[in-house]
Structure formats: C-alpha cells, structure tokens
Amino acid sequence: MKNLLLDGKMLTYEEGQTIMDCALSNGIAIPGLCHLPGLSPSGNCRLCTVKTGGRYVSACTEPAIDGMEVECETMELSQVRMQLLRMLFVEGNHYCPSCEKSGSCRLQEAAYHEGMLDLHFRPFYPKREMDASHPEILLDRDRCIFCALCVRASREIDGKNVFDISGRGIETHLIVNSASGKLLDTDISVEDRAVHVCPVGAILVKGKGFEIPIGRRLYD
Amino acid sequence: MSSVSEEVDLLVGRLGERPLQILVEIQKTFNHVPTEAVEGIARKLGLPVSRVLANIEFYSFLSLEKPGDYVLLMSDNITDWMAGSRSLYSRLCSNLEGIADATKTSCTGMCDQGPAMLVNGIAVTKLDENRIDSIADLVKRHVPLSSWPREYFHVESNIRKSGWLFESGRRKVLEGQALLQELKDSNLRGRGGAGFPTALKWASCREATGEKYVVCNADEGEPGTFKDRVLLTHCAENLLEGMALCANIVGAKRGFLYVRGEYRYLESHLAKMLRKKRSEDFTVELHWGAGAYICGEESALLESIEGKRGIPRVRPPFPVTHGLFGMPTVVDNVETFCAASGIAAGGGKDFRRFGTDESRGTKLLSVSGDCSKPGIYEYPFGVSIEQILADCGADEPIAVQVGGASGACLDASEFGRKIGFEDLPTSGSVMIFGKNRDMKEAALNFSKFFAHESCGFCTPCRVGTSIIEQILESGNGLAEMPDLAGILKASHCGLGQSASRAVMDMLKKFPGHWGLS
Ligand SMILES: Cc1cc2nc3c(=O)[nH]c(=O)nc-3n(C[C@H](O)[C@H](O)[C@H](O)COP(=O)(O)O)c2cc1C
Ligand code: SF4
Ligand code: SF4
C-alpha cells in the first residue's frame, strides 16, 4: 500500500490514483467544481488547487506519489479558492435569488464554505444567449462556468456530442451540436446524464422549478 | 475559383486526419470559412458541427464572416507600439472607413522591422505613413495582392552576429546511438525556453513503444522573438536534417513542421526544402498555425495538429510517451534541431567550447526595441546584457525585457546579468526600452497580450488576465496585483503561470512610472 500526507493525515492510495481520488476514497472532500468521479478529470476550475513540493497543482489531475506531502486546508489555499470563486462569480451573471438551482448549487455551496462575503472584483456583465428552444431542457448560459462536465458526460456516458466549449480566453462560451446552434435541434434527451451534471444552474430540466421548498434544499 | 464543396472534397482527401489544416486552407482560399464548408467538413469527417465551429472561434485567423476582399491585421506588440503602430492603425482605419476593416493581432515576429501587419495572411513590414496611405489606396482600388509593390513584403534577416550555429557544417559524421551519446555528452538543452536535456527526451521516446512522430515547434509566438523565422529562412536544411537524425534515433517515419501562420510567406521556400530533403525513411509535412500563442506550448501544439482547440493537456503523461495521436512524440524547437544537426556534423567537442557549465553552446537572440541595430545575434551562452546592449547600439536604456512577455524585466542595475539557464533562461527575445519610455505602456501591452491569448481553459488565467488588463487600463486596483499574481500561479499551464511576471517586475522596478514610490 502506498501513502501520502494530506494536511498531516496519512492516507493510503492505489497506484494510478490522483490526489483527489485518494482523498475521496479516504472520505475526505477536497473542494472542486469540475470533477465528478466516473468522468475523465479535466482540471479547469482549479478550485481543488493544493500545494505540494512548494508548487500549486490541481488535486483532480495530479498523480499521487508515495510519500508526498500535500496541503489543502491552509489560509493560503483558502485565499486562492476564495479568489477563484470570486472570479467565477464576476465572470458570469449569477443572480442567485432568481435561480432555481439556488440552494443546491455547487458554486454557491463552495462560496459559503470559504466564507465568501463579497464579489471583490468588478462584475463583467457579459452578454450571453439563453436557449429555451427545447421543450424539456433549459440552457441558461449566464450561469455557465465552463467546467465541461456536460461536455464530458455527453461524450463519455451518453455516447453523444451535445455540448462543446468554443471561443478563447474571456470569450469562451458553451455551444451545442446542431447546425442551428439550438438545443432543440440536437439529439439531447432529458434522460441524458449530461442534463444532470451541471454544478450550477446553467442546464435545468424545465417544469421542475423550485420543487424542493427553500430551507430543505441540499445546501440550505 | 472552385466551389466550396469541391474544395472541401479535395482537402478532406489530402488532409483528412487534420481538420484544422483543412480550415486553414479554406480560410486562405475564401478569406473566411463558409457555413457550407463547416457542414461539409463535419459530415465528411464524421465530426460534430460544434467541434468544427469551436475550432473556428478559437483560432484568431479563422472566421465565419466574410470580411471583404482584404483581411488587414496590424501587429500589436510593444515594439510595434514603440515604432508608432497605434497612430498608423488609426490612420489606416480612418482612411478605410466604410470600405474595409482593420483589426489588431499579437506580435507577428517582425519586431526588427516593424511596425508590421498581415494582409490576407502575408507580412508587410516597415510601415510608415506613406506605406499606410498607399495600402489604403490599393485596398480602395481593389488591386490584387500580387500586384502590390514587392518591397512591401520584403523581410530582412538582419543577422548581425553569427557564430557556431549559423556556421556549423552540413555533412553529418554522426548518427544513431553515437549521436545520442554525443548529444548527451554535449549537454544540449532545449532552445524553446524550458531547457530540457535533448538527449534525455530523444532517449525516452526511443524507449517508448508505438508508432512515433517527430514534431518541430516553429510556432514562435513569444513577443519579441523572430530567430526561428530567420532559421527557417536560412537553415531549413539543417533543421530538417536535425529532425531526420531524431527520427532515425527514435524510430519515426513521419514528422510535422508546425509553423505559425504569420510566417506563411515562407510557404514556397519551405515546401521546396521539404521536397529536397524528402526520403524513403522519413517524411515531414508542413502544418500551419492559425493565430494562437498557446499553440507554442507543446501539448497544445499537438492538440492543434490533431485538429482541436489548442488547450494544453494534463501532464503527465508527457509527449515522449503519449504525444501526437496518442503516440510517442519528440517536440523540439527549431533551434534545438539545428543545434543537433550541427553537433552531428562537427561533433560535440566543438559545441562544448562555447557557453557555461550549465548552458553549453550558443544561443540566438532576437534583439529589438530602442537600439540602432535590431536583428539576430548569436552569442555563446553566458553573454551579459551589457555586452548585447553595446553591440546592438542601445543608448542608455532604462529596461530590458528578456524572454518576451512571459519573461523578466531588468532595470539598469541588472545589466550585468547573463543569458543562460542558470541566470536568465530565454527562448531569445530581448526587447530594449530607451530612456524616455514609459513602462506603464509596456505593462499594458503585455497584459492585453495575455488576456487575448489565454486559451480560456482554466479559471485563474481566463478571468485573471482580463482583470489585470482592466487594472492596467484604468490604473485602479494596482494594489491587487501581488495577490492576482499569486492566484495565477494556480493556472493549468505556463501561460497563466507566467502572465503576471513582467508586469510585477515593472511595478516593482519602475513604481515612479505609475506615480507610486
Ligand atoms: C505558453 C507557452 C508558449 C510556448 N511557445 C513556444 C514556442 O513558440 N516555441 C517553442 O519552441 N517552445 C514554446 N514553448 C515551450 C514548449 O512547450 C516546449 O517546451 C518546447 O517546444 C520544447 O522544445 P525544446 O526542448 O527544443 O525547447 C511554449 C511554452 C508555453 C508554456
Ligand atoms: S453548462 Fe454547466 S456543466 Fe456545462 S460547462 Fe457550463 S457549468 Fe459546466
Ligand atoms: S493557464 Fe491560461 S493558457 Fe494555460 S490552460 Fe489555463 S487558461 Fe489556458
């Protein structure tokens, strides 16, 4: 059995696991938004940034090495996470009170967890297109954080290619695979895994609004 | 001109496994990528339409809209700014108002003869008011590019100082295992910036199993660098020889030469060289970039050849085991392959005479900015900044930027420092700032560069580089910079990790330029 030290705790892992895998299999949650066991790791949100050997690495992509020492719950890394979360909030348009996902949103939950109280940076107020063309599924791009979970789930689990990330830099945006560019004209179905992996309220199943009473939702 | 669908058919047949290259060719022929081509390529290659669109929206030189008959892109490096590009740009725009649009593009690698621009993808150098007015006139009169004055497209090589690399012989005396040993003994390290030992890379690829590839990185996107342009012009045979020697060692049959789109004017020359060096054992294909600095990062470069957006891969695994199409691949800089062929011709002993213990051999430097003799200088590693400044005729400079926008900014107290992996590692960009320069401008220019070139994959770089640009543009929030620089260190790749370095250096060393003390 191989071991690593996470915040001073000795954890065992199996060859080939990442730092994130190791933490999860030991019942420890490292914060993260773009990781979901069962999908290939991406490393784009950087919220799972940990420090090892004086370097920042993303826990979800970094292979565990025997004897490595890893820091996660430190002041320094909490500050990194806080700033990353603020960046994600100001980059999009997140009006939490009117979002159906509010209360079970992983972005919101991570912000509570780090004790984020303000946006700190000036909001970008980007103009993004809403896609309500599909009878059952809503795509509200204002809330997209480009975690690519939907892209990966569609490819790797559903065997489709409904979503893709397009553009570059701050112009990055989510597109769907149809000539019209509309969700209605893709081969998506509401049973697809891709519809249910979004960590924020960017992909929602229509007609389910505020199903769970406020106060009893996952992160209330 | 053939129809869009005929063109797509032809290209799919020729470049089937490289969808991006098909798009580059379509763009070249039609000045944009028509929707019909997008759908045709997707259908013929069995790709999602979204994948083809995502590519077009990623690469600066590809566009969905038809811009008219001329695509005019003004080079926007700090050296272009210093030579007056911004007022020339305004002049061009007002000349062309309502007729054609000009836009800006990142450094075009013509820093020694700027300001420069690209017209329909071809470099035009030495711009001044006359040239700009004449270009506007040519555009208004719809004169085809082939009838424009030839001197507009003339690119000087400006080799000011040549040494071992330029002078090394072409007849190989060493190859295979003997060459590998010689490379190891000579301690040749990669010239693309990171300085990885070349022999170790080649040996690891040799040991890996699978079909192998040799890829030359001629993306040369680092602002202020143009030495690969000059090597491609004068030493293409040495470069191809170096690639062939590598292929022989690792056991590769195919190679790719990935050249930045800005150097498209070299196409017929390079194609000729490739034909000349073609052999039964090893063939090299040209691959044109399409305006994305990030594609100089080796794993993004491989993604790009495969026809994807240039998003850096997670490493490990490294290209030597999982590279192009998932196969073991050597990716090296142009200068590295040239040096390897020099060693094969002259032996490592000659090479080892130059440089320092940690940095053997010579290095090509691309010198630009405020000096009387900008151009290419070949020095033994260990040369001091002072020496370079004296040779290129720099008059009392206040700052030197070494290593491009992602490098370090030195003030006059540091001009004794030396080029080399142990002190100032660099791919060779040396940009000089004269005594009346405002370093605020340089900082702003670099911040715009990174915001424009961030691939957008990871949060700190995608958002952070734009926040930094806002701060430098407005002058508000400078106190945030150290914290932002820290967060950028959590980026996925070297672009984000080094995006704040120069700006931090400038703020620290030239606070007066911001009215700080
Ligand atoms: C953002 C970024 C841009 C890069 N651009 C280039 C480039 O234009 N040319 C180059 O040779 N290497 C570039 N590199 C370095 C390559 O990733 C790689 O290290 C190099 O091509 C390896 O070749 P070498 O060992 O011969 O230097 C870049 C790296 C990063 C992170
Ligand atoms: S829509 Fe949701 S799952 Fe898809 S990339 Fe955006 S945030 Fe991630
Ligand atoms: S650091 Fe920047 S360029 Fe590199 S992966 Fe992240 S967003 Fe892309």
Side-chain angles (χ1 to χ4, degrees), chain A residues 2-124:
Chain A
K2 296 185 178 336
N3 304 293
L4 62 72
L5 274 179
L6 177 62
D7 290 326
K9 268 194 273 322
M10 176 86 88
L11 307 179
T12 58
Y13 71 90
E14 281 163 33
E15 186 68 42
Q17 285 192 310
T18 60
I19 297 173
M20 178 72 91
D21 296 332
C22 164
L24 286 174
S25 56
N26 284 276
I28 296 172
I30 294 179
L33 292 168
C34 71
H35 187 66
L36 207 62
L39 291 176
S40 61
S42 165
N44 64 63
C45 77
R46 312 309 285 175
L47 205 64
C48 70
T49 295
V50 292
K51 202 170 182 180
T52 178
R55 259 180 354 119
Y56 289 151
V57 297
S58 50
C60 68
T61 56
E62 193 70 12
I65 297 174
D66 202 17
M68 89 196 300
E69 292 178 32
V70 182
E71 293 170 22
C72 178
E73 290 300 336
T74 62
M75 287 278 280
E76 178 189 344
L77 287 163
S78 169
Q79 181 63 18
V80 169
R81 290 191 287 269
M82 178 96 88
Q83 296 293 57
L84 289 174
L85 289 164
R86 286 165 163 160
M87 285 180 178
L88 288 172
F89 271 103
V90 295
E91 179 195 22
N93 297 308
H94 297 271
Y95 307 107
C96 299
S98 64
C99 177
E100 280 178 36
K101 191 84 173 187
S102 201
S104 55
C105 166
R106 282 170 67 189
L107 179 64
Q108 203 180 44
E109 193 262 346
Y112 283 139
H113 181 83
E114 295 306 332
M116 186 186 125
L117 298 173
D118 64 352
L119 291 178
H120 189 80
F121 303 116
R122 194 144 47 96
F124 286 49

Side-chain angles (χ1 to χ4, degrees), chain A residues 33 139-141 143-151 163 165 174 194 197-203:
Chain A
L33 292 168
L139 179 57
D140 186 343
R141 292 190 173 86
R143 301 163 184 156
C144 177
I145 58 167
F146 316 117
C147 70
L149 278 174
C150 59
V151 179
F163 299 99
I165 307 272
L174 187 77
V197 291
C198 185
V200 291
I203 302 177

Side-chain angles (χ1 to χ4, degrees), chain B residues 98-140:
Chain B
I99 296 162
D101 282 331
T103 45
K104 294 177 189 167
T105 188
S106 298
C107 180
T108 52
M110 299 290 160
C111 325
D112 54 336
Q113 47 209 299
M117 69 188 299
L118 298 172
V119 181
N120 291 356
I122 303 298
V124 175
T125 56
K126 293 191 184 143
L127 296 172
D128 55 17
E129 292 187 352
N130 283 338
R131 218 165 247 205
I132 285 290
D133 293 348
S134 146
I135 287 172
D137 185 55
L138 291 161
V139 169
K140 281 183 198 158

Side-chain angles (χ1 to χ4, degrees), chain B residues 189-196 198 201 217-222 228 293-299 315 331-334 336 493-495:
Chain B
R189 295 171 67 175
R191 270 36 179 166
F196 193 82
T198 307
K201 192 188 286 185
N217 186 345
D219 196 49
E220 189 156 66
E222 192 60 56
D228 291 341
Y293 165 67
I294 188 58
C295 291
E297 194 282 336
E298 59 185 11
S299 66
R315 301 178 316 160
V331 184
D332 273 321
N333 177 252
V334 177
T336 312
C493 87
L495 188 152

Side-chain angles (χ1 to χ4, degrees), chain B residues 294 310-312 453-459 461-462 491-497:
Chain B
I294 188 58
I311 307 290
E453 296 297 343
S454 164
C455 83
F457 171 78
C458 71
T459 313
C461 174
R462 183 181 67 241
S491 295
H492 172 63
C493 87
L495 188 152
Q497 287 161 9

